Amino acid sequence: MDERLVTRGLVRAPFRRFLLWLVPWVALLGLGVYAAYLCLALGLNQTNMDNRFAFGLWIYLDLTVIALGAGAFFTGFLLYVMKRSELKAVINSAVVIGFICYSGAIGILAIDVGQPLRAWFTFWHPNVHSMLTEVTFCLTCYLTVLAIEYLPIVLKNRRLRTVPSMLVFEHELHRVMAVFALVGSFLSFFHQGSLGGLYGVLQGRPFAFRESLAAWPSTFFLFILSAAAVGPSFVLVTTWLVSKVAGRPLARPEVFRLLAKVSGSLLIVYVMLKSIDTLVWLNRTAPALGARPARFYAFDPFGSWVLFTEIVALGLVPALVLLSERARRDPRLLVGAAFLACCGIVLNRFVMTVQTLALPTLAFDPFLSYAPSWQEVASFLAVVAYGVILYSLSYRYLNLFPQERELAAQEA
Amino acid sequence: MEREKTEGAARYGMVVDLDRCNGCGTCSVACAVENNVPPAGERANARNGISWLRVQRVEAAGEARAAFVPMLCQQCGDKTPCASVCPQNAVELDPGSGIVAQVPVRCLGCRYCMAACPYHARSFNWWDPEWPGRLAETLNPEVSTRTRGVVEKCSFCSHRLQAARAALAAAGKGAALAAEYVPACVEACPAGAISFGNLDDPGSDVARLAQAPGSFRLLERLGTGSKVYYHTEREWVRRLADGRAAAGDGRNHG
Amino acid sequence: MTTTRRDLLFGLGGGFAGLALTPVPWKLLDDVSIWTQHRRALPVPARGPVAWKAAACTLCPGGCALRVRCVGPRPVSIVGEPRHPLGGGACAVGLTLHHLAYHPLRLAGPARRLGDRREPVTLDSALATISSAIAAAGRTRQSVMVLDRRPGRVVSQAWLELLCGLPNGVYATVPGEEATLAAFGQATPLGIDLEHTRTLLSFGAPVLDGWGRPGRVLGVRGGLRVVQVDAWRSASAALADEWVPVAPGSEGALALALAQVLVTADPARAPQPARAALAALAPAQLAQRIGLEPQRIAALAQALAAGRPAVAVGGGEAGAGPLSPDNERAIALLNVVLGSLGHEGGIVARRPLPEAGRGGTGATFASLAEVPEGSVRVALLDAADDGRALPWPLLARTLARDALVVSLSPFDGLLARRASLVVPAPAPLEGLDEILPTADAALASYALSSPLLPQPAGALDAVALVQRLAAATGVAVDAANHQQRVTQRVAAITATGRGRLLARTGAGYEAAKPADADAAFALLAQGGVWIDAPDTSSLDAGRCPLPSAAALEAWSRPAEAVADLALVAFAARGTAGSTPVSPLLTKLYQESDLRAATRVAAIHPRTAGLLGLREGQAVRLESAAGAASASLRFDERLAPGRVAIAAGPEPSALHPEAKRTESGALAVAESGHDGTWRQTRVRIREA
């Protein structure tokens, strides 16, 4: 029914089946929008956050999706600046995922603040010392960049291409795409870092606080590195997932292997630097603030196993697997290791956001626990649903994977 | 954020005598009355209610005795954890008085300052404030009410400082930065456990008490430069409140 | 000329760019920031001239002097008078006194109960109902009872005048903090010379947490060693120098055990009847009943003897209620044995305040527990509330089947809800009130609290009500109104020529010599205080309080094992009575862990384990008198076999708009034969 919208030469599921696929996601989106409406209308008491857990599920997931969405900027950087042309196969998908991640994060942030109508105050009365100011500016700028990068993909749609002005516009954009990719990398570098800096500057929280290099705490650099490391892995995992759901190959194995190699190299560097940073933090930084590091891991279930899992099981191990050429040839090991690397970053963001707030600061503080309310979970699932819907529409009507057509021809 | 020493500036501080505090909570309620803090709705609890000043019970497991530590904004010095992190400058350290002021009309409710504060001094308006019946008629006109979705905290009753400065100016004493005044909690404490004044005035009680043996600040090692001191001569109270015994303090009053 | 898409795009783009040069977007931004400051209509308090006025708190017997800051006509904040000669400061309850007149539970005017609702009635109709019920009582030989929880006021005198003119008038009171001192049976009131006491042994009295004149206790705390005997770790126990945990209801037994140790060491300490009674008690049996080792008791007794002057006090607790008369007599006996009666640092005589009014005979004076069951046809519950709990079963026990219960409280509290008729009196700060000496006072004193707020049309003060009732029932009472009676009393006080009158000034208190009674009244009305001279008369040494034989026999027997849990009730003074607290007290009861609210029940983890209950679980407490919902909390300091739950403040005071459910100790308290509810047994099960 909608064949005229689908890119020429690509096979897509029947329209009705596509609609059926969308139905549960739309329902989930509806539920989440209702949850978000409750939070906006009735106030943030609809969540389980409180004065001690001022940041909850939303901030944690925001940091996580932004880290995972870093695949967008880093793949662009590798393609346009490092000239790794194999990545043309997945750059569109990466950009769409990045756009979803960032727009979703900003959507969640809009509900997370107590006074969303005052969101523009950060631009009007910015505090140059605050990491969050930097994050706000960079995120909004980068979302604009992503929108600009997304636009040509949309404009290449079969129907839209028939409009001459759109074609011209898309062509012009394409010529300057490298500039946008560079700007995007620059912005992304900063806000990935500032998100790490958000916690690294908290001198009141010895668990999160790190010493600074120049103006920035070490978590600034570690977050950038970890995001860059895990971005390609996430692109890999999502491409694999989409090809599984779609039932056809979407990119050549060399693309996956390149992504894995890049990810693995960055990940191993990250693991080394993170280990050094952890040692410095445990032995020097935290004790200088009067904290006893043993106390950080003295509360169930956040024992020291968390630290080892994050750095070794979900850091070193996948890094080594991704670096091994033999392992890269085995698709299961490849995807598995990439997935574990993503999990490592998910855990790292969790530790930095949730565990920081759970730990006591005063001598008579208890260790706190927090479980998100259904409104919080539903709002976030709405973002996931929005992402799936947007991605499904993009996959169906846009040429997200340039290699798909030839791979399909090869199979035939 | 460096602060040049302003001419004639005061540095208001407080010393809380933990040996006198009996946990009656009058300070907490007096603060709420003075500053138009709304009463809790049904779903509020100790973690999401609004208390600018909260009295915390500290006790050792298995022991009968308990001590009480009133917790409020410690009014940190130059290295305030909260002022540097607010994205829209809604927290200001006033150089003339040393008071860390919260600007609720600029606060966007991002709660970054709350994550930053190690003293848990800040409360968020999780609900719309409501005063049952005609209770809103008893509100204090000198303090503005806050809307939902913003952060609030102790201001050392800075509206009383403004009034004191205005009184000095009206009396022809010029524009003085250091005026004598008393916050609501200090005034209300039936045990007289809280002293307040200008820490930079060597003749003031509070300056003397702050330096007395047995006086300490919470989380001193963080270097926040806080201006609220606590005082106790009982080792066990010091250990419960501060996590460590006084260094070299051989006294033990059990 | 055709308009192309390009033209349209250029037009739009140009329009947007041009808009940025107009004030429109900037005004919009400005407006948005203003809208965000008034999310819903926030109250903007009105400004006005600021004045500080004197008042006093009448929410509990403490009677703390207050300074009220008024903006125009509205009271806006309160501060306790720091330099008051009797002891300064005020508690959190007193600091929110000014909220009560505006409380949603405030009753607007007379009303009668129809099922769950209330229907407003005219004052005349209410008075007619009461007087016809009084007449019916006269015909059927049933009693007309006035329950006065703050005896000694001129209002109390007016009630007595009315009751003395009725055939079966009963003037009922409930024991208060003075119960131990009353147990001595002396002709004159007694007080405690706390300034010279060295050891204060409290049997469940919250001496460090709201007792007597709290400002005075704070002032003497430094020189006092406080030993707290309590069935649970109360606030006073946590602040005391020593906590002695005992089984609930065994306070008197411990007092006797201590007296026994002291008398055994030195028989001269006690008069002969006491010696005989003490000798008949078996120490081991007593110790078992109390729940303490005999060595601990002996050590405690020796510490008391060494720490003299030592005073032992009972008097009950606001939520747990009074101790039984036998317990109080035992504690009084201990004081005799400790030699504190009539000596410096001990229990001293204090002159009674001059009364105003004619007095009268013919009415029966009784404590509520002594009123015969089912004998009361008309019960008038005086508005004055001492802030201490009174469970409904204790009152209901005295009522006849068709009794008319009239509540005069200005608030819709626990008792008012059960009353058939409410005739509200003025709320705090709306009427003139008297501040009488506290139970611990060594010197008589007198002060006034002047009205700061106008009295609403529907309120009727108690003296005016007495006069209207007297007219309706044909009883002759003094024609003076409330203010006139108070002035007469002030005149009587100044006529004694004793003591000193202190006027409140900006700086503190100064001695004053008013020219006449009216000037004295004006002085007192503006926050002054009259303090009597010490009473140097000697006490009757021959009177020795002795618990009843039945009590002595019961204490000698070991305690029976009971399957259910013993209820330990508690409340801060001022929060458990008929007067609600300000909703702002959620700061203490809900928005912090400082005080336990009525919806929290504490038990020992072992008890919970035996019952199969978890911490935080929703549970139901059930007794023969009623049931209450609560959430469970573990407390290892509470001995197994007990459940501790607050008796106040009731949730509808803190959340007037919420659905009313029975909660707290008062929902399950059972009326004991001795006027206490300390024998209440409770079952807990999962809700």
Side-chain angles (χ1 to χ4, degrees), chain B residues 14 25-29 31-32 50-55 69-73 121 123 154 184-186 194 230, chain C residues 587-588 592:
Chain B
M14 196 179 260
T26 305
C27 52
S28 186
V29 173
C31 169
I50 307 178
S51 274
W52 293 17
L53 168 56
R54 178 170 306 168
V55 180
V69 183
M71 283 303 298
L72 66 163
C73 172
S123 304
C154 163
C185 54
V186 179
I194 316 181
Y230 293 86
Chain C
K587 302 303 158 202
L588 304 181
S592 77

PDB file of all heavy atoms in Angstrom, chain B residues 14 25-29 31-32 50-55 69-73 121 123 154 184-186 194 230, chain C residues 587-588 592:
ATOM      1  N   MET B  14      26.846  30.149  63.299  1.00  0.00           N
ATOM      2  CA  MET B  14      25.998  29.596  64.345  1.00  0.00           C
ATOM      3  C   MET B  14      26.776  28.533  65.102  1.00  0.00           C
ATOM      4  O   MET B  14      27.583  27.819  64.502  1.00  0.00           O
ATOM      5  CB  MET B  14      24.812  28.952  63.645  1.00  0.00           C
ATOM      6  CG  MET B  14      23.636  28.648  64.483  1.00  0.00           C
ATOM      7  SD  MET B  14      22.359  27.913  63.444  1.00  0.00           S
ATOM      8  CE  MET B  14      21.309  29.306  63.155  1.00  0.00           C
ATOM      9  N   GLY B  25      12.443  19.884  69.069  1.00  0.00           N
ATOM     10  CA  GLY B  25      11.960  20.203  67.727  1.00  0.00           C
ATOM     11  C   GLY B  25      11.318  21.572  67.597  1.00  0.00           C
ATOM     12  O   GLY B  25      10.746  21.884  66.557  1.00  0.00           O
ATOM     13  N   THR B  26      11.390  22.386  68.633  1.00  0.00           N
ATOM     14  CA  THR B  26      10.770  23.706  68.558  1.00  0.00           C
ATOM     15  C   THR B  26      11.431  24.551  67.478  1.00  0.00           C
ATOM     16  O   THR B  26      10.755  25.311  66.776  1.00  0.00           O
ATOM     17  CB  THR B  26      10.876  24.411  69.923  1.00  0.00           C
ATOM     18  OG1 THR B  26      10.318  23.560  70.912  1.00  0.00           O
ATOM     19  CG2 THR B  26      10.135  25.714  69.924  1.00  0.00           C
ATOM     20  N   CYS B  27      12.735  24.423  67.318  1.00  0.00           N
ATOM     21  CA  CYS B  27      13.446  25.201  66.300  1.00  0.00           C
ATOM     22  C   CYS B  27      12.899  24.863  64.918  1.00  0.00           C
ATOM     23  O   CYS B  27      12.702  25.745  64.076  1.00  0.00           O
ATOM     24  CB  CYS B  27      14.937  24.910  66.358  1.00  0.00           C
ATOM     25  SG  CYS B  27      15.364  23.153  66.307  1.00  0.00           S
ATOM     26  N   SER B  28      12.670  23.590  64.687  1.00  0.00           N
ATOM     27  CA  SER B  28      12.193  23.137  63.390  1.00  0.00           C
ATOM     28  C   SER B  28      10.833  23.745  63.066  1.00  0.00           C
ATOM     29  O   SER B  28      10.583  24.222  61.951  1.00  0.00           O
ATOM     30  CB  SER B  28      12.108  21.604  63.437  1.00  0.00           C
ATOM     31  OG  SER B  28      11.781  21.089  62.190  1.00  0.00           O
ATOM     32  N   VAL B  29       9.954  23.760  64.047  1.00  0.00           N
ATOM     33  CA  VAL B  29       8.621  24.305  63.824  1.00  0.00           C
ATOM     34  C   VAL B  29       8.664  25.827  63.735  1.00  0.00           C
ATOM     35  O   VAL B  29       7.974  26.434  62.916  1.00  0.00           O
ATOM     36  CB  VAL B  29       7.670  23.827  64.936  1.00  0.00           C
ATOM     37  CG1 VAL B  29       6.335  24.516  64.838  1.00  0.00           C
ATOM     38  CG2 VAL B  29       7.496  22.323  64.857  1.00  0.00           C
ATOM     39  N   CYS B  31      11.039  27.618  62.562  1.00  0.00           N
ATOM     40  CA  CYS B  31      11.545  27.936  61.226  1.00  0.00           C
ATOM     41  C   CYS B  31      10.424  27.821  60.209  1.00  0.00           C
ATOM     42  O   CYS B  31      10.268  28.663  59.338  1.00  0.00           O
ATOM     43  CB  CYS B  31      12.668  26.962  60.890  1.00  0.00           C
ATOM     44  SG  CYS B  31      13.181  27.005  59.171  1.00  0.00           S
ATOM     45  N   ALA B  32       9.621  26.774  60.330  1.00  0.00           N
ATOM     46  CA  ALA B  32       8.536  26.582  59.380  1.00  0.00           C
ATOM     47  C   ALA B  32       7.502  27.698  59.492  1.00  0.00           C
ATOM     48  O   ALA B  32       6.951  28.157  58.489  1.00  0.00           O
ATOM     49  CB  ALA B  32       7.872  25.228  59.614  1.00  0.00           C
ATOM     50  N   ILE B  50       9.298  18.911  53.536  1.00  0.00           N
ATOM     51  CA  ILE B  50      10.129  20.113  53.516  1.00  0.00           C
ATOM     52  C   ILE B  50      10.442  20.516  54.946  1.00  0.00           C
ATOM     53  O   ILE B  50       9.544  20.837  55.720  1.00  0.00           O
ATOM     54  CB  ILE B  50       9.407  21.285  52.833  1.00  0.00           C
ATOM     55  CG1 ILE B  50       8.916  20.865  51.457  1.00  0.00           C
ATOM     56  CG2 ILE B  50      10.349  22.475  52.733  1.00  0.00           C
ATOM     57  CD1 ILE B  50       8.163  21.956  50.745  1.00  0.00           C
ATOM     58  N   SER B  51      11.705  20.458  55.291  1.00  0.00           N
ATOM     59  CA  SER B  51      12.147  20.937  56.594  1.00  0.00           C
ATOM     60  C   SER B  51      13.443  21.662  56.383  1.00  0.00           C
ATOM     61  O   SER B  51      14.434  21.042  56.016  1.00  0.00           O
ATOM     62  CB  SER B  51      12.370  19.770  57.559  1.00  0.00           C
ATOM     63  OG  SER B  51      11.195  19.403  58.197  1.00  0.00           O
ATOM     64  N   TRP B  52      13.442  22.963  56.596  1.00  0.00           N
ATOM     65  CA  TRP B  52      14.685  23.695  56.442  1.00  0.00           C
ATOM     66  C   TRP B  52      15.630  23.341  57.576  1.00  0.00           C
ATOM     67  O   TRP B  52      16.846  23.342  57.408  1.00  0.00           O
ATOM     68  CB  TRP B  52      14.411  25.201  56.464  1.00  0.00           C
ATOM     69  CG  TRP B  52      13.636  25.695  55.296  1.00  0.00           C
ATOM     70  CD1 TRP B  52      12.885  24.957  54.412  1.00  0.00           C
ATOM     71  CD2 TRP B  52      13.520  27.047  54.851  1.00  0.00           C
ATOM     72  NE1 TRP B  52      12.316  25.766  53.472  1.00  0.00           N
ATOM     73  CE2 TRP B  52      12.693  27.062  53.714  1.00  0.00           C
ATOM     74  CE3 TRP B  52      14.042  28.250  55.323  1.00  0.00           C
ATOM     75  CZ2 TRP B  52      12.367  28.227  53.034  1.00  0.00           C
ATOM     76  CZ3 TRP B  52      13.723  29.419  54.640  1.00  0.00           C
ATOM     77  CH2 TRP B  52      12.893  29.402  53.514  1.00  0.00           C
ATOM     78  N   LEU B  53      15.048  23.051  58.726  1.00  0.00           N
ATOM     79  CA  LEU B  53      15.848  22.687  59.889  1.00  0.00           C
ATOM     80  C   LEU B  53      15.233  21.423  60.459  1.00  0.00           C
ATOM     81  O   LEU B  53      14.053  21.393  60.788  1.00  0.00           O
ATOM     82  CB  LEU B  53      15.807  23.826  60.911  1.00  0.00           C
ATOM     83  CG  LEU B  53      16.337  23.579  62.317  1.00  0.00           C
ATOM     84  CD1 LEU B  53      17.759  23.094  62.288  1.00  0.00           C
ATOM     85  CD2 LEU B  53      16.252  24.862  63.106  1.00  0.00           C
ATOM     86  N   ARG B  54      16.028  20.385  60.517  1.00  0.00           N
ATOM     87  CA  ARG B  54      15.498  19.110  60.975  1.00  0.00           C
ATOM     88  C   ARG B  54      16.344  18.609  62.129  1.00  0.00           C
ATOM     89  O   ARG B  54      17.565  18.633  62.054  1.00  0.00           O
ATOM     90  CB  ARG B  54      15.548  18.106  59.826  1.00  0.00           C
ATOM     91  CG  ARG B  54      15.077  16.728  60.192  1.00  0.00           C
ATOM     92  CD  ARG B  54      14.925  15.896  58.968  1.00  0.00           C
ATOM     93  NE  ARG B  54      14.064  16.571  58.029  1.00  0.00           N
ATOM     94  CZ  ARG B  54      13.902  16.219  56.768  1.00  0.00           C
ATOM     95  NH1 ARG B  54      14.559  15.198  56.301  1.00  0.00           N
ATOM     96  NH2 ARG B  54      13.099  16.873  55.972  1.00  0.00           N
ATOM     97  N   VAL B  55      15.689  18.154  63.183  1.00  0.00           N
ATOM     98  CA  VAL B  55      16.437  17.646  64.326  1.00  0.00           C
ATOM     99  C   VAL B  55      16.613  16.141  64.144  1.00  0.00           C
ATOM    100  O   VAL B  55      15.649  15.397  64.005  1.00  0.00           O
ATOM    101  CB  VAL B  55      15.689  17.939  65.648  1.00  0.00           C
ATOM    102  CG1 VAL B  55      16.478  17.395  66.813  1.00  0.00           C
ATOM    103  CG2 VAL B  55      15.491  19.429  65.793  1.00  0.00           C
ATOM    104  N   VAL B  69      20.876  16.234  66.970  1.00  0.00           N
ATOM    105  CA  VAL B  69      21.686  17.136  66.145  1.00  0.00           C
ATOM    106  C   VAL B  69      20.760  17.896  65.211  1.00  0.00           C
ATOM    107  O   VAL B  69      20.202  17.316  64.292  1.00  0.00           O
ATOM    108  CB  VAL B  69      22.704  16.336  65.304  1.00  0.00           C
ATOM    109  CG1 VAL B  69      23.584  17.286  64.508  1.00  0.00           C
ATOM    110  CG2 VAL B  69      23.549  15.445  66.188  1.00  0.00           C
ATOM    111  N   PRO B  70      20.548  19.180  65.446  1.00  0.00           N
ATOM    112  CA  PRO B  70      19.753  19.955  64.500  1.00  0.00           C
ATOM    113  C   PRO B  70      20.535  20.146  63.202  1.00  0.00           C
ATOM    114  O   PRO B  70      21.658  20.627  63.232  1.00  0.00           O
ATOM    115  CB  PRO B  70      19.547  21.296  65.215  1.00  0.00           C
ATOM    116  CG  PRO B  70      19.901  21.050  66.643  1.00  0.00           C
ATOM    117  CD  PRO B  70      20.915  19.961  66.630  1.00  0.00           C
ATOM    118  N   MET B  71      19.935  19.728  62.087  1.00  0.00           N
ATOM    119  CA  MET B  71      20.611  19.831  60.805  1.00  0.00           C
ATOM    120  C   MET B  71      19.957  20.901  59.959  1.00  0.00           C
ATOM    121  O   MET B  71      18.756  20.906  59.728  1.00  0.00           O
ATOM    122  CB  MET B  71      20.537  18.492  60.064  1.00  0.00           C
ATOM    123  CG  MET B  71      21.492  17.450  60.590  1.00  0.00           C
ATOM    124  SD  MET B  71      23.202  18.007  60.548  1.00  0.00           S
ATOM    125  CE  MET B  71      23.471  18.256  58.822  1.00  0.00           C
ATOM    126  N   LEU B  72      20.766  21.809  59.488  1.00  0.00           N
ATOM    127  CA  LEU B  72      20.257  22.894  58.657  1.00  0.00           C
ATOM    128  C   LEU B  72      21.325  23.195  57.627  1.00  0.00           C
ATOM    129  O   LEU B  72      22.390  22.561  57.646  1.00  0.00           O
ATOM    130  CB  LEU B  72      19.946  24.136  59.493  1.00  0.00           C
ATOM    131  CG  LEU B  72      21.137  24.844  60.154  1.00  0.00           C
ATOM    132  CD1 LEU B  72      20.740  26.252  60.567  1.00  0.00           C
ATOM    133  CD2 LEU B  72      21.621  24.110  61.365  1.00  0.00           C
ATOM    134  N   CYS B  73      21.069  24.129  56.761  1.00  0.00           N
ATOM    135  CA  CYS B  73      22.079  24.519  55.796  1.00  0.00           C
ATOM    136  C   CYS B  73      23.294  25.022  56.551  1.00  0.00           C
ATOM    137  O   CYS B  73      23.170  25.889  57.414  1.00  0.00           O
ATOM    138  CB  CYS B  73      21.555  25.609  54.872  1.00  0.00           C
ATOM    139  SG  CYS B  73      22.823  26.288  53.792  1.00  0.00           S
ATOM    140  N   ALA B 121      20.840  19.499  53.174  1.00  0.00           N
ATOM    141  CA  ALA B 121      20.179  20.671  53.736  1.00  0.00           C
ATOM    142  C   ALA B 121      19.017  21.154  52.895  1.00  0.00           C
ATOM    143  O   ALA B 121      18.246  21.994  53.337  1.00  0.00           O
ATOM    144  CB  ALA B 121      21.198  21.797  53.848  1.00  0.00           C
ATOM    145  N   SER B 123      15.572  21.071  50.495  1.00  0.00           N
ATOM    146  CA  SER B 123      14.305  20.369  50.305  1.00  0.00           C
ATOM    147  C   SER B 123      13.708  20.801  48.987  1.00  0.00           C
ATOM    148  O   SER B 123      13.837  21.953  48.583  1.00  0.00           O
ATOM    149  CB  SER B 123      13.318  20.718  51.418  1.00  0.00           C
ATOM    150  OG  SER B 123      13.856  20.446  52.680  1.00  0.00           O
ATOM    151  N   CYS B 154      17.394  26.690  54.296  1.00  0.00           N
ATOM    152  CA  CYS B 154      17.589  27.707  55.327  1.00  0.00           C
ATOM    153  C   CYS B 154      18.364  28.898  54.768  1.00  0.00           C
ATOM    154  O   CYS B 154      19.327  28.734  54.031  1.00  0.00           O
ATOM    155  CB  CYS B 154      18.370  27.094  56.478  1.00  0.00           C
ATOM    156  SG  CYS B 154      19.101  28.282  57.600  1.00  0.00           S
ATOM    157  N   ALA B 184      14.891  32.846  63.493  1.00  0.00           N
ATOM    158  CA  ALA B 184      13.748  32.331  64.242  1.00  0.00           C
ATOM    159  C   ALA B 184      14.111  31.136  65.118  1.00  0.00           C
ATOM    160  O   ALA B 184      13.612  31.003  66.233  1.00  0.00           O
ATOM    161  CB  ALA B 184      12.626  31.954  63.274  1.00  0.00           C
ATOM    162  N   CYS B 185      14.956  30.250  64.622  1.00  0.00           N
ATOM    163  CA  CYS B 185      15.272  29.052  65.397  1.00  0.00           C
ATOM    164  C   CYS B 185      16.037  29.406  66.665  1.00  0.00           C
ATOM    165  O   CYS B 185      15.773  28.845  67.737  1.00  0.00           O
ATOM    166  CB  CYS B 185      16.089  28.075  64.554  1.00  0.00           C
ATOM    167  SG  CYS B 185      17.582  28.788  63.828  1.00  0.00           S
ATOM    168  N   VAL B 186      16.950  30.344  66.542  1.00  0.00           N
ATOM    169  CA  VAL B 186      17.748  30.766  67.702  1.00  0.00           C
ATOM    170  C   VAL B 186      16.833  31.365  68.750  1.00  0.00           C
ATOM    171  O   VAL B 186      16.949  31.092  69.946  1.00  0.00           O
ATOM    172  CB  VAL B 186      18.809  31.793  67.265  1.00  0.00           C
ATOM    173  CG1 VAL B 186      19.630  32.260  68.441  1.00  0.00           C
ATOM    174  CG2 VAL B 186      19.692  31.203  66.198  1.00  0.00           C
ATOM    175  N   ILE B 194      21.277  27.353  70.790  1.00  0.00           N
ATOM    176  CA  ILE B 194      21.851  27.871  69.559  1.00  0.00           C
ATOM    177  C   ILE B 194      22.341  29.294  69.784  1.00  0.00           C
ATOM    178  O   ILE B 194      21.604  30.148  70.261  1.00  0.00           O
ATOM    179  CB  ILE B 194      20.832  27.883  68.409  1.00  0.00           C
ATOM    180  CG1 ILE B 194      20.041  26.575  68.378  1.00  0.00           C
ATOM    181  CG2 ILE B 194      21.534  28.081  67.085  1.00  0.00           C
ATOM    182  CD1 ILE B 194      19.029  26.500  67.260  1.00  0.00           C
ATOM    183  N   TYR B 230      29.171  22.863  65.738  1.00  0.00           N
ATOM    184  CA  TYR B 230      28.478  22.089  66.769  1.00  0.00           C
ATOM    185  C   TYR B 230      29.421  21.948  67.947  1.00  0.00           C
ATOM    186  O   TYR B 230      30.639  21.871  67.782  1.00  0.00           O
ATOM    187  CB  TYR B 230      28.072  20.718  66.229  1.00  0.00           C
ATOM    188  CG  TYR B 230      27.025  20.817  65.154  1.00  0.00           C
ATOM    189  CD1 TYR B 230      27.375  21.013  63.821  1.00  0.00           C
ATOM    190  CD2 TYR B 230      25.669  20.763  65.474  1.00  0.00           C
ATOM    191  CE1 TYR B 230      26.413  21.141  62.834  1.00  0.00           C
ATOM    192  CE2 TYR B 230      24.699  20.878  64.502  1.00  0.00           C
ATOM    193  CZ  TYR B 230      25.081  21.076  63.191  1.00  0.00           C
ATOM    194  OH  TYR B 230      24.113  21.202  62.233  1.00  0.00           O
TER     195      TYR B 230
ATOM    196  N   LYS C 587       6.059  18.604  60.627  1.00  0.00           N
ATOM    197  CA  LYS C 587       7.526  18.718  60.599  1.00  0.00           C
ATOM    198  C   LYS C 587       8.143  17.739  61.592  1.00  0.00           C
ATOM    199  O   LYS C 587       9.240  17.217  61.383  1.00  0.00           O
ATOM    200  CB  LYS C 587       7.990  20.138  60.978  1.00  0.00           C
ATOM    201  CG  LYS C 587       7.466  21.252  60.123  1.00  0.00           C
ATOM    202  CD  LYS C 587       7.799  21.074  58.661  1.00  0.00           C
ATOM    203  CE  LYS C 587       6.857  21.857  57.787  1.00  0.00           C
ATOM    204  NZ  LYS C 587       6.789  21.350  56.425  1.00  0.00           N
ATOM    205  N   LEU C 588       7.468  17.538  62.724  1.00  0.00           N
ATOM    206  CA  LEU C 588       8.026  16.659  63.745  1.00  0.00           C
ATOM    207  C   LEU C 588       7.513  15.235  63.630  1.00  0.00           C
ATOM    208  O   LEU C 588       8.214  14.294  63.985  1.00  0.00           O
ATOM    209  CB  LEU C 588       7.672  17.197  65.138  1.00  0.00           C
ATOM    210  CG  LEU C 588       8.097  18.632  65.427  1.00  0.00           C
ATOM    211  CD1 LEU C 588       7.708  19.014  66.842  1.00  0.00           C
ATOM    212  CD2 LEU C 588       9.591  18.783  65.236  1.00  0.00           C
ATOM    213  N   SER C 592       9.914  14.123  59.559  1.00  0.00           N
ATOM    214  CA  SER C 592      11.179  13.762  60.162  1.00  0.00           C
ATOM    215  C   SER C 592      10.911  12.513  60.992  1.00  0.00           C
ATOM    216  O   SER C 592       9.765  12.151  61.224  1.00  0.00           O
ATOM    217  CB  SER C 592      11.733  14.881  61.034  1.00  0.00           C
ATOM    218  OG  SER C 592      11.057  14.926  62.264  1.00  0.00           O
TER     219      SER C 592
END
